[in-house]
Each structure stands twice: as structure tokens, then as C-alpha cells.
Amino acid sequence: MTDLFTDTHAAALDANDPLPTLRSEFHIPRHGDTEQAYFVGNSLGLQPRGARAHVEEVLDKWATEAVEGHFTGSAQWMTYHELVREPLARLVGAEPIEVVAMNSLTANLHLMMASFYRPTRERPAILIEAGAFPSDRHAVASQVGFHGFDPDTDLIELAPDGPGGMFTMAAIERAIAEHGPRLALVLWPGVQYRTGQAFDLKEIARLAHAQGAVCGFDLAHGAGNLDLALHDSNADFAVWCHYKYVNSGPGAVAGCFVHARHAHTDRPRFAGWWGHDVNSRFRMGPEFVPTPGADGWQLSNPPILGLAPLRASLDLFDRVGMPALRAKSGRLTGYLEKLIRERLSDRLEILTPADPAQRGCQLSLRVAGGRENGRALFAHLADNGVLGDWREPDVIRISPAPLYNTHADILRFARTVEGWRHG
Ligand SMILES: *Cc1c(COP(=O)(O)O)cnc(C)c1O
């Protein structure tokens, strides 16, 4: 039997992987004389080396051309956001007209709810998962209240029914059926941030629509992680950020999807001049005529400096394509899972589903022996240049990002856990 725990084995897995790593395309933070084993791409993805040139291009253009920069060259600012449209559509499995890069995730969620959460007395409710990311919960609760309804009754938070905080599809189906006639919106994560569970988006959208509800997805942990097929999922809308798995920098400009069937919708929206019909925008008239598609929800002229790193990042995704990247992600996370099961199961319990279809790259690991023990292991990992992140009370999340993490990184994590003398 091969020993999974050897450097030669990890090195062979890396050398023979069908998708060679793009690690050299990224800045890898240092730990003393070595590189970090950085598993926090679920929080802030690493910087693509190409990002700087794109940012400098914008700075140079601004320095030398000033306002003329809006109108000159292929990277002119007037149409700059269109440079990311097609790569973004490929990233999330959408049509180009369905996606736009704008604002932040939470701002986009509010804009989407302004159009797609239209509660009535009979149908006021929003269904989300219990334990949702706080910003999502604040957004939906404040929207319910904004429309004069009561979050205590009209914000429905489905409790997980499986071990380790997992949701079975049966529980989701039951909840949607039970509350169906009262549901205005089902808002569900593509990957739950705490547990790493991934969901069947198409099935959730089908169930929501069958009850007459709108369906939206939060893909903060899905974009750049899962091989999404947003158009085919039939979701009405989706939102995500680009600083996690999409590696576009702290507070990066976020993403938004509006299904093509709403491209010409007359639903109400919160409008701004950049969402106005692109052909008559500069006539500066008083009437708002939306640009078809997701672009019609833009408010302002976009932050060009903020969009620049996204271009560099999407180039890398385009180079490999999501199917190949997702396949590699499965191999890396599968290796992590095997090492834990073979040698570390007395220390770490894997909460994330074992079925690769029900997870992305992240494994959420409960440390045996409680919080203090967990904190001590977490500190030991950081002291050894292995970066994960901590979720109270006793969970470490490890997210091998397939663009830059390697089997060697994963072996280093496992060895570091093994070398820890716990109390
Ligand atoms: C990271 C994350 C956010 C962050 O929201 P911002 O508006 O980008 O600050 C929101 N929701 C989920 C589920 C997240 O994982």
C-alpha cells in the first residue's frame, strides 16, 4: 500500500495531476524561509501576479489622459466593466446578458430584493437557512421590516436536520412545501459558509418556483469554487463576491446574476444612471429606460481601479475552465479527506459531507476536546505557517484552492496536526 503521508507521494500527485498548478501565477505569503500553506481562499483569495499590471494600467491612464481615459483604447473606462462580462458569464455558467460586476455582495442582494422580493399580505415570507451569514440575515430581515412585515413571523429560518449542521434535500423540500403559499422568496447559499455543504441549486429553484416563490442564491462561497450552471438552474437572481475564491482583492467589486427571462422585466427597481439604456445614457434625459439584462441594475459608473484585478483573475479561470478546476479541487479535497481519515480522526471530525457533489473545496473540521484544545491547535498551525480559519466554538475551516494549493500543502497541514501535542 502506498503511504499517503510521504513527501514523495504528495510530490508525485502534484507532478502527475492532469491540471498543473497555477501557483506561480500568484503571490504566496511567506512564513520565515518557506511559503505559507494558505487555506483561507474562502476568506481572501491570493493576489494574482497579473493584478498589479492591470491596476497600474488604470493609474497610468488616469495620470496621462485624465478624463480622456473614458474614451480611448480597448480598456477605456466607459466600457471597462464589459471587459469582464464574458469571462464572468463563463465562471458562473450564465449568458453574458445575465451577469454584471458591480457594488458589493450585500448591496447587490438589496438591489435584487428591491425587484424580486415583492411581499403581499398573503405572501410575505422569505425562507433562508438558520445560521446564515450575518450580512444575509440582516439584509433579509431589514427588507421584511422595510415592507411593513415582521421578521419574527415572516423570516423563516430552516434549521439543519442532519448531523454537523447539514441540510437534507428532504428537509428543504418539506419547508418549501409547508410554507409554500406564504413564500415570496427562497434565498439559499450555493455553499454554506460554515459547513461547506453545497446544494443542488436547480432543484431548490424548481421547488421554490413550484410554490410560486422567487428563488435567489448567495454564491459568496460558490463562485470560483463550484462548476455553476446558473442559467440552467433557473434561479431568478444570484449575488456573490470576488474577494474569496475569485481572488480579486479585499472588498473587490462583486457579481450579480439576473436570469435572461427577466432581461426586459418591468418589475420595480432602484435605479441609477449607469443602468439606463446605454445608447441614450448621455442624452442625460429625465426618464429611466433600463438597459436590458443585469446591466440594467447598475447604479453608478463603476470603480475602475476595483475592477482591474478582476480582469487578471478571470484570465486565470479562463485559462483552465471551471470543469477542469472543479475536478482538480475534488482531487485535492479528496486527498485532504483521506489523510484526515487515515491518521487524524482522533483529532479532527469532518463535518462537511463526504459526497463530493455536496461540497466544494472546503472541509469544516471539528477539533476533538473542545474549544481550548481547538484554539491551541489553530495557533500551532499558524505558528507553522499553515493558515486556516477559525469558527466558534471549535471548528477549523480548511479550503484548498485548486488554482494555487497543492497536495504538498495538504500534506503539510496533516503533518502539522499530527505533530501537535495536545493537552
Ligand atoms: C463573505 C460573505 C458575505 C460578505 O458580504 P459583503 O457584502 O461582501 O461584505 C455575505 N454573505 C455570505 C454568505 C458570505 O460568505
Side-chain angles (χ1 to χ4, degrees):
M1 212 179 100
T2 47
D3 185 353
L4 303 175
F5 256 74
T6 62
D7 289 325
T8 36
H9 184 68
L13 289 174
D14 283 326
N16 299 327
D17 196 276
L19 181 62
T21 182
L22 290 185
R23 186 176 178 88
S24 64
E25 297 288 342
F26 289 86
H27 290 282
I28 312 290
R30 309 284 307 173
H31 176 77
D33 294 338
T34 63
E35 289 176 333
Q36 284 181 5
Y38 187 87
F39 293 111
V40 210
N42 59 351
S43 182
L44 183 70
L46 292 179
Q47 182 184 138
R49 288 185 182 272
R52 185 175 299 266
H54 283 291
V55 172
E56 282 182 354
E57 178 193 49
V58 177
L59 287 171
D60 289 345
K61 203 173 178 66
W62 177 25
T64 57
E65 300 179 36
V67 73
E68 291 300 318
H70 284 103
F71 316 109
T72 57
S74 59
Q76 59 178 271
W77 306 331
M78 191 64 78
T79 51
Y80 197 89
H81 75 281
E82 294 176 11
L83 296 171
V84 298
R85 182 196 315 289
E86 298 206 353
L88 205 51
R90 287 189 284 273
L91 183 79
V92 296
E95 295 175 2
I97 197 173
E98 295 176 316
V99 295
V100 63
M102 62 179 186
N103 310 315
S104 63
L105 183 157
T106 307
N108 289 343
L109 183 53
H110 275 300
L111 291 176
M112 289 294 98
M113 285 195 282
S115 292
F116 293 102
Y117 171 55
R118 306 296 303 162
T120 61
R121 273 254 287 269
E122 297 69 40
R123 198 183 266 284
I126 300 179
L127 177 73
I128 62 170
E129 91 274 25
F133 195 93
S135 198
D136 300 55
R137 194 186 187 281
H138 301 327
V140 293
S142 63
Q143 286 270 343
V144 170
F146 175 80
H147 287 280
F149 295 97
D150 181 359
D152 284 345
T153 50
D154 298 328
L155 176 57
I156 301 166
E157 295 174 274
L158 179 62
D161 61 322
M166 295 317 129
F167 294 87
T168 62
M169 208 54 217
I172 298 170
E173 182 164 3
R174 266 197 309 277
I176 292 175
E178 178 191 342
H179 300 287
R182 297 190 70 248
L183 280 184
L185 170 66
V186 174
L187 179 70
W188 207 257
V191 175
Q192 216 286 340
Y193 82 100
R194 207 185 285 271
T195 64
Q197 184 178 13
F199 295 94
D200 181 344
L201 302 186
K202 188 171 185 173
E203 179 61 5
I204 292 172
R206 189 186 70 75
L207 294 167
H209 290 155
Q211 294 294 334
V214 162
C215 184
F217 293 121
D218 182 324
L219 302 175
H221 286 256
N225 181 16
L226 304 179
D227 186 14
L228 296 163
L230 266 187
H231 175 84
D232 291 343
S233 80
N234 266 321
D236 294 281
F237 70 85
V239 295
W240 60 94
C241 55
H242 287 133
Y243 49 81
K244 291 172 181 165
Y245 296 113
V246 192
N247 307 320
S248 299
V253 178
C256 188
F257 164 93
V258 180
H259 197 278
R261 69 179 173 278
H262 301 302
H264 299 275
T265 184
D266 56 5
R267 283 172 178 266
R269 73 180 87 195
F270 289 168
W273 75 313
W274 222 254
H276 181 83
D277 171 32
V278 68
N279 299 310
S280 61
R281 187 186 292 149
F282 284 91
R283 281 190 219 134
M284 306 303 247
E287 306 264 300
F288 178 76
V289 180
T291 295
D295 270 17
W297 275 266
Q298 294 175 103
L299 298 178
S300 303
N301 74 102
I304 304 298
L305 284 165
L307 282 172
L310 181 58
R311 290 182 66 196
S313 173
L314 291 175
D315 280 351
L316 298 177
F317 281 95
D318 261 346
R319 229 201 266 176
V320 298
M322 273 317 296
L325 197 61
R326 171 72 162 140
K328 172 149 194 184
S329 174
R331 293 189 289 275
L332 286 168
T333 298
Y335 182 55
L336 174 61
E337 179 182 36
K338 261 197 224 154
L339 295 185
I340 294 170
R341 289 203 195 291
E342 278 205 6
R343 298 269 281 267
L344 307 171
S345 55
D346 58 328
R347 300 181 170 204
L348 297 173
E349 176 197 354
I350 302 174
L351 302 179
T352 308
D355 173 7
Q358 289 185 59
R359 66 187 186 203
C361 68
Q362 169 184 321
L363 293 185
S364 297
L365 306 171
R366 176 172 287 150
V367 185
R371 184 176 187 281
E372 289 318 306
N373 226 32
R375 291 297 307 179
L377 172 58
F378 186 68
H380 173 76
L381 287 166
D383 288 346
N384 287 280
V386 179
L387 273 279
D389 79 357
W390 176 258
R391 289 289 142 179
E392 295 291 347
D394 55 3
V395 171
I396 295 174
R397 300 186 307 173
I398 297 292
S399 303
L403 282 174
Y404 51 77
N405 282 124
T406 58
H407 294 86
D409 283 340
I410 291 169
L411 178 60
R412 180 163 156 204
F413 162 79
R415 284 243 183 84
T416 309
V417 174
E418 208 178 29
W420 170 59
R421 307 262 160 267
H422 60 135

